[in-house]
């Protein structure tokens, strides 16, 4: 250290040498003289190294001045490691390597040859056939004994086949002929030394094979060498290998290229393809290995010590026995958490047992079970939901038969390097067997027997629990990840029946709730998107909302097996298969793997004291939890806790109660009425959270209080402008969640601007994602710092930058919203930081950083364009899809359109001019990005707000088209427009289409069926709005020209109707009653007025279709009709195919369309499953490098009718390729089907 004082006479050195510390300066004690001056201009030694007693310093070296960087000497010190770290190093035991590797065809063939031979010799297939034949005639106990005897013999055959299929090789140097000859010579010399030693002992040795090997390796007269000469030659071989190690990769590449050349000469093109694949894989492995080594943080491995939190403090355990005892005890407690579920205790346990295989379960599914009055309410709801799901599904059970095709399809595509199996029968065994039809059938037969009889193999009852550090250096046991490695064949059987067949049927029947985001085709970012869009809509509508984040604890490990059994049976899984899987888990013995190796004693459950949970690493855990969570979500919705959405102008209904991704849960609670007070809404939120917590407890799980929190979105209005209340402005509500001990735990209320991490994205209800960008930039700068500290070739650094760093920092771009300028500023700082490690001048301008490579730029991605691309891809894949993201995108777009009030495609409008009309959110930022980068985004006619009458126009379109009103006035007019529920001119005029309805000029609120935001306009807002109405009409409040007939259904409530003969007037008072008036023939009538009187209350509904605008007297006994208009009646006939083609917006796409007949046969053959569709693309760069073409053809198998569509597209040299042409063909085919 640099003490800035004399290192031997200063105050600090003297203090360090006192008797309480007894530290000595090691340069003096090691070399026998004082250290020289450290600073090149100094005269005194100011740098030294002080150590406590017992630290042995062997050597100390101080360099000359200017020998290194800086103006001080650098020091090199050599310490004895044992004196510093101690002698008790833990001996790390690594897992045994595998001889069988299916990627090497030679070893796979040798393994199969040996296994097939053993199987046939021991008549394993005949024995299995006998077991199948006897399965119905012998007792389950006898069958189990026979099955396990067969399985043990089969396991021994597999282990024997692996032992004889290959030899372990040392890969410390890459293989090539040049390195191989020296390795062989070294090994032969070692073998020669062993032969000489055995001969000296008088033993006979057959050296025939050895002599031939020496001739091949060019070792002359080996038996004349002395032991000393042999040792010298071994060392020479080792030295030569060390010299070759640096050039071994190049020698390896040259060797593979020679192999390709020889394969071409003999015409073996398959070998050429395989060798090229080896070259490519090894090149990528080397490059990515360097990138990962340079940029990835150290990974936590198997622990050699653990810490446990106790009431008295933290205790650390370092010995193997202590670690295994503590880990086993606490993991057993974790697996028994679900035993607290109400269904596992009391009278319910007597009825359902541990496996849920009783008659009571069958009665629940069939709906005949009589719930006892003392039964837990939330358990009853789960059971009722199970009955509902069971009644929706077909009566056909899911098949538990395993075919050899099932076996081969999965295992031939499986990753053989996945760890599994305490018995050492790993994935590689089954992957190799899948290449043999005979052995595959044998394995499938074994699994079918177990699945249909419900009798498991004893081997399946042992599992390996791998204890890993989640974070490097964090050795607290509760912070470690415990991965359960089951037997590979048992795990695959679970995947086949539960994850594949059960979930396929569940998806086909629509039984997986949209709230579950851990499902096929759905990404975690879609859950974030739905939460973002929910908050956007609440901010645009100014409604109260609550978002409790209530994460589950121990998720898969805290599921009660009776509930799991009921859920799986509701999904039509055979009971024998459920009992098979759950019984194995309940009595499984877990062996622990730590840094000391695999434990000799295990932990687990018994039949009388079982362990629960689904098991981390179990193939049925995700699908089993999906089945249980389906019951949970259904029960939650039965209690009325769900946010109902109705399309703001379309009326499309959608319900979303929560966002659930495995254990991460966010409840979406929306105010059920706009008249609720804050206290009433909090009570609703608390009820919902309590019910959800009780439902979770009923399944055996619990809510982890340390990870739970909640937001409340509530509003206040300042001069008519809505503002979200901050945490200080909200009463100090105390929300609680139920716990297993019966005592509720409080969870904190977060400010709407405080971001929290959910599914990898930092978000808040306010819509500010600045924190997320900051966190991602921290990740990026840390990646760059690691790259800078470690030597990595620039080309590999660029590889890591494009395909490792950029995906990290752009995660969540499809869901988040942020100002493009702030986003670009953050990324430019990151780009500047990364340029130096990538061997580029960091002062290069922004243009050349992001310019494409073809114009000599670096090609760094533009973050704004990258974000826009993510959002466009999201819209292309999710729009109009029956997913949560698809529904929420449609719902939020309609709210966005109603908020702005424009009837045209707002995304194509001038953002700088109209952005003041919209609240910040996902759609507004998408609009901003499209405008910023000049991207044309078109919405179909069905996605635009429909106008009501011929000649109708949107109010805000007319207001904003003139410069008479300022943008501040626009906001005032828009505020009153939404308050009154108006959109177009048809809303403000009477039935004559010209006269302004007097109600429009009042301060009364909306009576529209469309969804408008909550507004509280001021007097000034009303005054501005009245001026706008006068501007749109005239001083007499009449339009210059009358609107035409209705072309769409009005969204204001229809109350008054008149008969066709104009003699009776009708007023709707309720869905089942109305009041009828009779025309006063004696009253004086004009062209614009008719008088009706004598109201009579009538029951039922009238059939009148003509709307009327009226003026009532005070007591409603006399009514004067101002004007009438026929209501809109939609056309009853379907347009023809050619009419729909002509209605398409881009007619240039249909110029080459040819069809037999009128094209109506396409729709008919599609419904009858007789339509054959085909598309193809073409790209010929020799003819044109920037042109793609495609064709799409459809044909009816029954009639033989054909239709075709061809396109030719000119783009640019970069975009045009075969892939683009194929995509165009697919799009053309989809357009044909869509129009049909």
């Amino acid at each position: 250290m640099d003490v800035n004082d004399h290192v031997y006479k200063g105050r600090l050195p003297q203090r360090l040498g006192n008797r309480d510390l007894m530290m000595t300066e090691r340069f003096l004690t090691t070399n026998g003289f004082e250290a020289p001056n450290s600073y090149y201009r100094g005269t005194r030694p100011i740098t030294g190294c002080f150590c406590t007693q017992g630290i042995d310093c062997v050597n100390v070296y101080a360099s000359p001045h200017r020998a290194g960087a800086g103006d001080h000497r650098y020091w090199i010190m050599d310490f004895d490691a044992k004196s510093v770290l101690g002698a008790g190093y833990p001996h790390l035991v690594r897992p045994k390597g595998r001889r069988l590797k299916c990627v090497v065809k030679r070893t796979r063939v040798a393994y199969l040859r040996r296994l097939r031979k053993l199987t046939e010799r021991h008549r394993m297939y005949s024995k299995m056939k006998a077991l199948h034949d006897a399965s119905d005639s012998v007792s389950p106990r006898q069958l189990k004994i026979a099955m396990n005897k067969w399985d043990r013999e089969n396991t021994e055959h597999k282990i024997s086949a692996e032992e004889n299929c290959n030899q372990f090789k040392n890969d410390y140097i890459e293989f090539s002929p040049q390195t191989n000859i020296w390795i062989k010579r070294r090994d032969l010399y070692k073998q020669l030394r062993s032969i000489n030693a055995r001969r000296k002992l008088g033993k006979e040795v057959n050296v025939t094979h050895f002599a031939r090997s020496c001739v091949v390796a060019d070792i002359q007269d080996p038996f004349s060498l002395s032991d000393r000469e042999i040792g010298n030659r071994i060392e020479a071989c080792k030295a030569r290998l060390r010299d070759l190690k640096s050039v071994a990769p190049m020698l390896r590449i040259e060797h593979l290229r020679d192999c390709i050349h020889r394969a071409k000469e003999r015409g073996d093109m398959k070998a050429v393809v395989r060798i090229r694949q080896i070259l490519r894989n090894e090149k990528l492995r080397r490059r990515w290995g360097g990138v990962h080594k340079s940029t990835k943080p150290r990974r936590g491995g198997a622990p050699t010590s653990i810490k446990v939190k106790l009431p008295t403090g933290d205790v650390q355990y370092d010995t193997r026995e202590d670690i295994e005892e503590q880990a086993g005890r606490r993991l057993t407690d974790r697996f028994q958490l679900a035993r607290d579920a109400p269904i596992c205790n009391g009278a319910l346990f007597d009825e359902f047992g541990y496996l849920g295989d009783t008659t009571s379960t069958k009665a629940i599914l069939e709906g005949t079970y009589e719930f006892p009055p003392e039964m837990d309410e939330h358990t009853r709801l789960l059971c009722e939901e199970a009955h509902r799901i069971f009644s929706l599904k077909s009566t056909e059970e899911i098949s538990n038969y395993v075919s050899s095709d099932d076996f081969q399809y999965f295992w031939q595509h499986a990753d053989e390097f996945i760890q599994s199996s305490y018995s050492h029968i790993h994935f590689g065994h089954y992957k190799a067997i899948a290449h043999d039809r005979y052995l595959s059938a044998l394995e499938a037969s074994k699994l079918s027997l177990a699945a249909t009889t419900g009798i498991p193999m004893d081997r399946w009852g042992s599992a390996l629990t791998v204890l890993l550090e989640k974070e490097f250096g964090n050795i607290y046991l509760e912070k470690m990840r415990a991965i359960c490695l089951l037997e590979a064949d048992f795990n695959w059987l679970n995947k086949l029946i539960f994850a594949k067949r059960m979930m396929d049927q569940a998806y086909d029947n629509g039984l997986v709730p949209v709230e579950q985001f851990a499902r096929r085709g759905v990404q975690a970012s879609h859950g974030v998107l739905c939460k973002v869009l929910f908050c956007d809509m609440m901010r645009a509508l100014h409604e109260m909302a609550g978002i409790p984040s209530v994460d589950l604890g121990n998720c898969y490990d805290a599921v009660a097996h009776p509930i799991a059994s009921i859920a799986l049976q509701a999904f039509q899984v055979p009971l024998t298969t459920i009992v098979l899987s759950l019984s194995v888990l309940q009595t499984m013995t877990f062996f622990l793997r730590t840094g000391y190796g695999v434990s000799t004693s295990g932990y687990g459950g018994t039949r009388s004291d079982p362990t629960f949970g689904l098991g981390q690493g179990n193939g049925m855990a995700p699908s089993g939890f999906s089945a249980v969570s389906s019951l949970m979500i259904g029960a939650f919705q039965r209690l009325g806790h769900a946010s109902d959405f109705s399309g703001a102008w379309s009326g499309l209904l959608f319900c979303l109660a929560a966002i659930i991704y495995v254990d991460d849960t966010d409840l979406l609670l929306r105010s059920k009425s706009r008249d609720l007070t804050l206290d009433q809404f909090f009570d609703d939120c608390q009820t919902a959270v309590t019910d959800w917590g009780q439902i979770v407890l009923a399944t055996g799980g619990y809510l982890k209080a340390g990870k739970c929190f909640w937001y409340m979105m509530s509003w206040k209005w300042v001069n008519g402008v809505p503002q979200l209340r901050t945490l200080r402005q909200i009463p100090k509500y105390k929300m609680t969640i139920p716990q297993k001990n019966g005592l509720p735990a409080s969870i904190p209320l977060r400010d709407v601007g405080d971001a929290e991490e959910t599914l990898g994205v930092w978000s808040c209800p306010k819509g500010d994602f600045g924190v997320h960008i900051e966190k991602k930039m921290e990740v990026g700068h840390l990646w760059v710092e690691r790259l800078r500290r470690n030597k990595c070739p620039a080309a590999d650094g660029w590889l890591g930058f494009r395909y490792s760093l950029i995906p990290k920092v752009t995660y969540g771009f499809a869901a988040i919203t942020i100002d493009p300028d702030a986003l670009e500023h953050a990324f430019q700082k990151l780009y500047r930081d990364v340029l130096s490690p990538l061997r580029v001048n960091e002062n290069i301008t922004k243009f050349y950083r992001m310019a494409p490579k073809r114009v000599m730029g670096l090609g760094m991605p533009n973050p704004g364009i990258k974000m826009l691309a993510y959002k466009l891809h999201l819209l292309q894949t999710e729009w109009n899809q029956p997913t949560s993201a698809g529904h929420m995108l449609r719902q939020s777009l309609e709210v966005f359109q109603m908020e702005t009030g424009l009837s045209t495609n707002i995304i194509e409008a001038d953002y700088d001019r109209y952005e003041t009309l919209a609240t910040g959110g996902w759609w507004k930022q998408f609009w901003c990005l499209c405008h910023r980068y000049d991207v044309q985004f078109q919405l179909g006619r069905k996605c635009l707000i429909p106008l009501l009458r011929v000649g109708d126009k949107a109010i805000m379109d007319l207001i904003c088209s003139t410069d008479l009103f300022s943008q501040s006035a626009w906001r005032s007019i828009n505020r009153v427009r939404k308050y009154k529920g108006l959109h177009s001119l048809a809303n403000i005029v009477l039935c004559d289409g010209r006269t302004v309805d007097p109600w429009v000029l009042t301060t009364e609120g909306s009576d529209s069926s469309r969804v408008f935001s909550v507004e509280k306009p001021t007097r000034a807002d009303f005054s501005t709005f009245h001026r706008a109405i006068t501007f749109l009409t005239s001083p007499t409040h009449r339009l210059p020209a009358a609107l035409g007939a209705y072309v769409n259904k009005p969204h204001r409530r229809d109350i008054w109707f008149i008969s066709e003969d104009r003699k009776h007037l009708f007023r709707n008072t309720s869905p089942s009653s109305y009041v009828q008036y009779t025309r006063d023939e004696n009253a004086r009538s004009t062209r614009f007025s008719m008088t009706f009187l004598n109201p009579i209350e009538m029951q039922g509904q009238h059939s009148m279709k003509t709307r009327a605008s009226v003026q009532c007297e005070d007591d409603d006994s006399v009514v004067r009709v101002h004007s009438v208009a026929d209501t809109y009646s939609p056309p009853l006939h379907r347009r023809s195919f050619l009419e729909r083609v002509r209605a398409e917006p881009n007619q240039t796409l249909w110029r080459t369309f040819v069809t037999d007949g009128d094209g109506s046969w396409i729709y008919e053959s599609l419904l009858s499953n007789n339509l054959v569709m085909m598309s193809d693309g073409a790209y010929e760069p020799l003819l044109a490098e920037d042109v793609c073409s495609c064709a799409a053809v459809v044909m009816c198998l029954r009639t033989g009718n054909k239709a075709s569509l061809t396109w030719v597209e000119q783009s640019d040299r970069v975009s045009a390729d075969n892939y683009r042409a194929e995509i165009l063909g697919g799009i053309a085919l989809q357009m044909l089907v869509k129009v049909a």
Side-chain angles (χ1 to χ4, degrees), residues 453-632:
T453 60
I455 299 176
M457 309 294 176
D458 288 344
R459 174 171 53 87
W460 295 352
S462 298
L464 197 61
T465 300
V466 181
L467 209 58
L468 298 173
E469 297 176 6
K470 289 183 181 180
E471 300 176 5
F472 179 75
N474 190 339
I475 60 174
Y476 282 99
L477 183 59
E478 61 270 16
K479 294 296 183 180
M480 290 187 179
R481 181 177 285 110
I483 304 297
C484 184
L485 302 182
L486 307 181
E487 289 295 315
D489 53 344
F490 172 63
N491 210 6
W492 174 71
L493 180 64
N494 287 334
K495 288 181 181 178
L496 175 67
I497 295 177
F498 296 99
K500 181 71 172 65
R501 294 177 180 172
M502 183 191 82
M503 295 309 296
D504 281 350
Q505 188 166 315
Y507 288 127
D508 291 342
N509 294 332
L511 298 181
V512 181
V514 295
E515 287 83 358
Q516 182 59 266
F517 285 81
R519 55 188 294 173
R520 295 178 196 167
V522 178
Q523 302 174 9
S525 59
H526 291 173
V528 179
L529 173 71
C530 289
K531 182 178 176 180
V532 169
L533 295 177
F534 174 80
C535 294
D536 288 350
M537 287 190 284
M538 295 303 100
R539 291 199 307 274
L541 296 173
H542 311 143
E543 292 185 4
M544 287 191 294
I547 309 175
S549 181
V550 283
D551 293 352
L552 306 183
N554 291 317
C555 196
Y556 292 164
D557 295 332
V559 176
H561 282 185
I563 291 292
S565 177
I566 293 172
L568 294 171
Q569 290 181 61
F571 277 70
Q572 293 290 350
V573 180
L575 181 59
T576 55
T577 307
I578 297 172
V579 171
L580 169 72
S581 298
L582 296 184
S583 62
V584 169
L585 293 173
Q586 290 180 5
T587 59
M588 182 169 284
T589 301
F590 297 92
F591 295 89
L592 195 65
R593 180 195 288 174
T594 62
Y596 295 103
V598 179
S599 61
T600 55
S601 61
Y603 64 93
T606 61
R607 290 189 179 277
S608 59
D609 186 22
T611 52
F612 277 1
L614 302 177
Q616 297 278 355
N618 185 4
M620 71 161 289
S623 51
F625 187 77
S626 293
V628 173
S629 63
S630 297
L631 303 188
M632 295 164 58

Side-chain angles (χ1 to χ4, degrees), residues 130-307:
L131 288 174
H132 274 277
D133 294 339
S135 60
D136 295 330
S137 58
V138 301
S139 66
R141 183 174 178 276
Q142 292 175 323
L143 182 61
K144 182 176 182 180
I145 293 173
M147 287 172 59
N148 282 292
K149 181 180 178 181
W150 185 96
D151 184 62
R152 284 192 296 271
E153 188 176 2
N154 189 37
T155 301
E156 291 172 0
H157 295 166
K158 292 174 183 175
I159 293 175
S160 175
E162 183 179 16
E163 290 294 329
N164 291 274
C165 75
N166 195 12
Q167 294 180 350
F168 283 117
K169 302 291 184 181
N170 196 331
D171 60 350
Y172 71 95
I173 187 170
E174 298 196 47
F175 175 83
S176 66
Q178 293 88 336
T179 58
N180 188 47
I181 188 63
W182 290 101
I183 292 173
K184 284 186 175 180
R185 289 174 179 174
R186 181 200 61 188
D187 294 341
L188 287 171
Y189 284 128
K190 289 181 178 180
Q191 189 176 353
L192 177 60
R193 186 162 57 184
S194 175
I195 291 172
N196 289 341
R198 296 181 67 184
R199 281 182 169 180
K200 289 179 181 179
L201 296 175
K203 298 180 179 180
E204 293 185 4
V205 181
N206 187 349
V207 296
T208 304
H209 179 70
F210 173 76
R212 287 198 300 265
S213 300
C214 288
V215 173
V216 174
D218 197 19
I219 299 177
Q220 300 177 359
D221 198 10
F223 296 108
S224 64
L225 299 175
S226 64
D227 291 343
R228 184 173 182 179
E229 289 174 326
I230 293 172
N232 291 337
R233 293 196 179 190
I234 291 175
E235 292 301 322
C237 291
K238 291 181 179 179
R240 181 58 178 158
L241 288 172
R242 285 194 295 269
D243 295 338
L244 289 174
K245 188 173 178 63
S246 59
V247 296
M250 291 303 302
L251 296 175
R252 169 74 173 169
I253 294 173
E254 291 176 3
H255 165 62
L256 291 175
R257 287 174 177 169
D258 290 340
C259 292
I260 292 175
H261 180 69
R262 291 194 296 270
K264 286 182 177 179
E265 287 181 343
R266 64 177 183 267
D268 190 353
M269 298 310 296
K270 289 184 178 180
V272 171
V273 173
R274 288 198 302 268
I275 297 170
R276 283 178 174 170
Q277 187 67 30
I278 292 172
L279 265 172
R280 179 180 178 275
N281 292 342
E282 291 184 357
K283 178 182 177 182
L284 289 176
R285 191 182 303 117
R286 281 193 299 270
R287 294 188 66 186
W288 277 111
V291 172
H292 292 328
K293 184 178 179 181
S294 300
T295 60
K296 279 198 170 184
R298 292 188 63 181
R299 297 174 59 183
T304 56
S305 60
I306 61 173
K307 283 185 178 180

Side-chain angles (χ1 to χ4, degrees), residues 836-853:
S836 179
L838 296 179
R839 312 298 190 269
V840 178
N841 188 335
E842 63 181 15
N843 294 316
I844 190 172
T845 61
K846 182 174 70 173
F847 172 79
Y848 287 103
R849 291 177 193 169
M850 296 189 296
K853 291 183 179 180

Side-chain angles (χ1 to χ4, degrees), residues 356-512:
D357 55 349
T358 62
T359 55
S360 297
T361 303
K362 184 178 181 181
I364 282 177
L365 298 175
E366 294 175 350
T368 59
Y369 181 77
E370 294 185 4
F371 296 99
E374 66 276 7
M375 186 176 188
D376 175 66
E377 175 190 1
H378 299 89
T379 304
R380 178 178 57 79
L381 288 171
L382 292 172
C383 295
E384 291 174 351
E385 185 63 18
H387 164 62
R388 184 190 69 83
I389 292 177
F390 183 79
S391 62
L392 292 176
K393 300 200 69 167
S394 62
T395 57
E396 181 181 355
E397 275 192 335
I398 293 170
S399 172
N400 56 6
Y401 173 77
V402 181
S403 68
S404 56
D405 290 336
D406 293 329
F407 185 89
Q408 288 184 300
Y409 178 80
F410 174 83
W411 287 108
Q412 286 182 2
H413 298 86
D415 181 3
E416 64 173 314
F417 298 107
I418 294 176
Q419 295 190 38
S420 67
S421 306
Y422 176 74
S423 66
H424 302 295
I425 308 301
H426 50 75
F427 271 46
H429 288 272
Y430 301 101
K431 189 175 180 69
I433 290 172
H435 289 83
D436 187 287
R437 187 75 179 176
Y438 170 82
L439 295 175
S440 297
L442 188 62
E443 289 293 325
S445 180
K446 174 195 71 175
L447 295 173
S448 293
L449 180 61
T452 54
T453 60
I455 299 176
M457 309 294 176
D458 288 344
R459 174 171 53 87
W460 295 352
S462 298
L464 197 61
T465 300
V466 181
L467 209 58
L468 298 173
E469 297 176 6
K470 289 183 181 180
E471 300 176 5
F472 179 75
N474 190 339
I475 60 174
Y476 282 99
L477 183 59
E478 61 270 16
K479 294 296 183 180
M480 290 187 179
R481 181 177 285 110
I483 304 297
C484 184
L485 302 182
L486 307 181
E487 289 295 315
D489 53 344
F490 172 63
N491 210 6
W492 174 71
L493 180 64
N494 287 334
K495 288 181 181 178
L496 175 67
I497 295 177
F498 296 99
K500 181 71 172 65
R501 294 177 180 172
M502 183 191 82
M503 295 309 296
D504 281 350
Q505 188 166 315
Y507 288 127
D508 291 342
N509 294 332
L511 298 181
V512 181

